């Protein structure tokens, strides 16, 4: 099991390191970073998320509703708790807290979901479906909270500070929905619900973009990290504890409260025990907001999970 986790994490660290060294050696400058950000946020990740959702049968999505409900509820609670802690106790700005909270609450499903679940259940279609719906849940049901805060603060900086958040909420939602990273997976879910089969030629056309999504996003994250100075401090340690320990334990409690057991329970716990994802860091860079603690949490949680993931895999083996 340890080897499985190591092999799943090696590609993440290698690609992050390549991006980091490309930035340190000045092979890529800030202008290139902006272009990569546009590519990742507007093309690669949306293509990947659309493909994952539109190819998932609606019956498969509805069959995974208990899993979606537990994962979503847990992420919502962890995002809200993290946002409160970072704003009230650590005095972070709203934008920084939103990025930090998304990093703490949204696991790296795309990179680690299949390796982790595959090590337990095998690389079956059911396993791939669980990963796909988890990615969709995080993208559609959690990411918009971060984007709405970023849009709100951007609106304030543009002279709309005198209006309440409730007043500008419709515009914030509209602006968020205009972003491909949001509407692409939503469109995929809608088409799946309508039993619409995407033309094979369309899926073939965007397949290279989808395949490039995770690698490019990790490379971009490495670039972003190369120009930052960050250190391990109390907020970073709190974020890692929330992500790697509190979140899966909370999911376990929710599962017990609703009497959910078996493969659904194991899947939910293990998916939420996965380390922090890169969405928060990439979102922040897209808005010109940098969160050194979120970036440090991203890296540190990926290291610590080498210890915590096997523990949760062992604890759930008898469920």
């Amino acid at each position: 099991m340890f080897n499985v986790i190591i092999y799943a994490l090696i590609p993440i660290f290698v690609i992050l390191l390549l991006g980091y060294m490309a930035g340190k050696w000045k092979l890529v400058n800030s202008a290139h970073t902006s272009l990569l950000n546009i590519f990742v946020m507007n093309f690669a990740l949306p293509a990947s998320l659309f493909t994952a959702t539109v190819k998932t049968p609606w019956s498969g999505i509805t069959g995974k509703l208990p899993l979606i409900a537990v994962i979503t509820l847990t992420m919502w609670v962890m995002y809200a708790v993290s946002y409160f802690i970072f704003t009230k106790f650590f005095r972070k700005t709203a934008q920084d807290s939103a990025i930090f909270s998304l990093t703490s609450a949204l696991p790296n499903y795309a990179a680690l979901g299949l390796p982790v679940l595959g090590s337990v259940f095998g690389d079956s279609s059911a396993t791939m479906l669980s990963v796909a719906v988890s990615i969709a849940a995080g993208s559609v049901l959690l990411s918009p909270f971060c984007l709405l805060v970023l849009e709100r603060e951007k609106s304030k900086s543009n002279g709309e500070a005198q209006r309440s958040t409730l007043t500008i909420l419709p515009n914030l939602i509209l602006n968020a929905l205009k972003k491909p990273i949001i509407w692409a997976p939503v469109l995929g879910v809608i088409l799946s619900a309508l039993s619409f089969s995407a033309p094979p030629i369309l899926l073939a056309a965007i397949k290279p973009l989808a395949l490039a999504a995770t690698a490019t996003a990790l490379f971009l994250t490495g670039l972003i990290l190369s120009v930052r100075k960050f250190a391990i401090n109390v907020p970073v340690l709190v974020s890692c504890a929330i992500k790697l320990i509190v979140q899966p334990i909370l999911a376990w409690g929710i599962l017990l409260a609703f009497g959910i057991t078996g493969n659904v329970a194991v899947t939910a716990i293990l998916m939420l025990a996965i380390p922090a994802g890169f969405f928060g860091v990439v979102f922040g860079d897209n808005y010109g907001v940098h969160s050194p603690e979120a970036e440090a949490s991203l890296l540190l949680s990926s290291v610590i999970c080498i210890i915590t993931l096997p523990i949760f895999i062992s604890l759930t083996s008898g469920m």
Side-chain angles (χ1 to χ4, degrees), residues 56-74 129-130 133-134 137 141 189 193 254-255 258 260 264-265 268:
T56 302
W58 183 244
S59 58
I61 293 177
T62 55
K64 295 290 184 180
L65 283 179
L67 174 63
I68 295 172
V70 172
I71 284 179
T72 302
L73 179 58
T74 305
L129 179 58
S130 296
V133 297
S134 298
L141 301 175
V189 170
I254 293 173
L255 290 163
F258 287 95
I260 301 174
V264 172

Side-chain angles (χ1 to χ4, degrees), residues 298-316:
L298 169 64
L299 289 178
L300 186 60
S301 68
S302 297
V303 175
I304 299 176
C305 82
I306 297 173
I307 299 172
T308 58
L309 258 176
I311 292 174
F312 280 104
I313 290 173
S314 298
L315 290 173
T316 57

Side-chain angles (χ1 to χ4, degrees), residues 7-287:
Y7 274 90
L9 288 171
I10 282 176
I12 294 176
F13 285 112
V14 168
I15 299 172
L16 280 172
L17 180 61
L18 288 174
Y20 184 86
M21 297 311 297
K24 283 296 184 183
W25 292 342
K26 308 301 181 183
L27 298 176
V28 181
N29 60 34
S30 58
H32 294 150
T33 302
S34 299
L35 291 174
L36 272 177
N37 198 310
I38 292 171
F39 174 74
V40 169
M41 296 298 294
N42 293 337
F43 298 97
L45 279 176
S48 176
L49 296 172
F50 173 78
T51 301
T53 51
V54 78
K55 290 176 67 176
T56 302
W58 183 244
S59 58
I61 293 177
T62 55
K64 295 290 184 180
L65 283 179
L67 174 63
I68 295 172
V70 172
I71 284 179
T72 302
L73 179 58
T74 305
M75 290 191 299
W76 281 353
V77 172
M78 284 296 92
Y79 182 90
V81 169
S82 299
Y83 191 85
F84 177 81
I85 290 174
F86 297 142
T87 54
K88 300 300 181 182
F89 290 97
F90 296 124
R91 303 300 179 183
K92 303 294 181 184
T93 66
Q95 291 171 305
D96 194 5
S97 295
I99 295 167
F100 210 172
S101 299
L102 186 64
T103 303
S104 302
L106 181 58
N108 196 352
Y109 298 128
L112 283 172
L114 194 55
V116 170
L117 288 189
S119 68
V120 177
F121 300 115
D123 294 330
S124 63
S125 58
T127 298
M128 289 186 283
L129 179 58
S130 296
V131 175
V133 297
S134 298
I135 294 172
S139 303
V140 178
L141 301 175
L142 182 65
S143 294
F145 288 112
C146 176
L147 288 173
L148 286 174
V149 173
L150 294 174
E151 287 284 352
R152 183 192 68 195
E153 297 305 307
K154 181 181 177 181
S155 297
K156 287 182 178 180
S157 67
N158 290 337
E160 298 183 25
Q162 72 279 4
R163 300 172 61 190
S164 67
T165 301
L166 187 61
T167 303
I168 63 175
L169 184 60
N171 286 336
L172 296 179
I173 295 174
L174 182 60
N175 288 336
L177 288 175
K178 289 179 180 178
K179 299 184 180 302
I181 193 72
I182 298 299
W183 65 252
V186 170
L187 178 61
V189 170
I190 292 173
L191 293 178
S192 175
L194 296 175
S195 299
F196 177 82
S197 297
I201 188 67
L202 172 62
L203 297 179
I206 65 175
K207 184 177 180 179
L209 283 175
L211 292 175
T214 299
T216 309
L218 288 171
F219 187 85
L220 173 62
T221 303
L223 281 174
I224 295 169
L225 295 175
S226 71
V227 297
R228 306 282 199 272
K229 292 182 179 180
F230 58 86
I232 297 174
N233 54 26
V234 174
V236 171
L237 294 175
V238 169
S239 175
C240 289
I242 288 173
K243 178 71 226 55
L244 298 175
I245 300 173
V246 178
Q247 193 171 44
I249 290 177
L250 174 62
W252 206 323
I254 293 173
L255 290 163
L256 290 174
F258 287 95
I260 301 174
T261 58
N263 288 353
V264 172
V266 175
T267 299
I269 293 169
L270 295 185
M271 290 299 278
L272 291 164
I274 289 173
F278 49 77
F279 272 34
V281 174
V282 176
F283 282 178
D285 189 68
N286 194 44
Y287 280 84

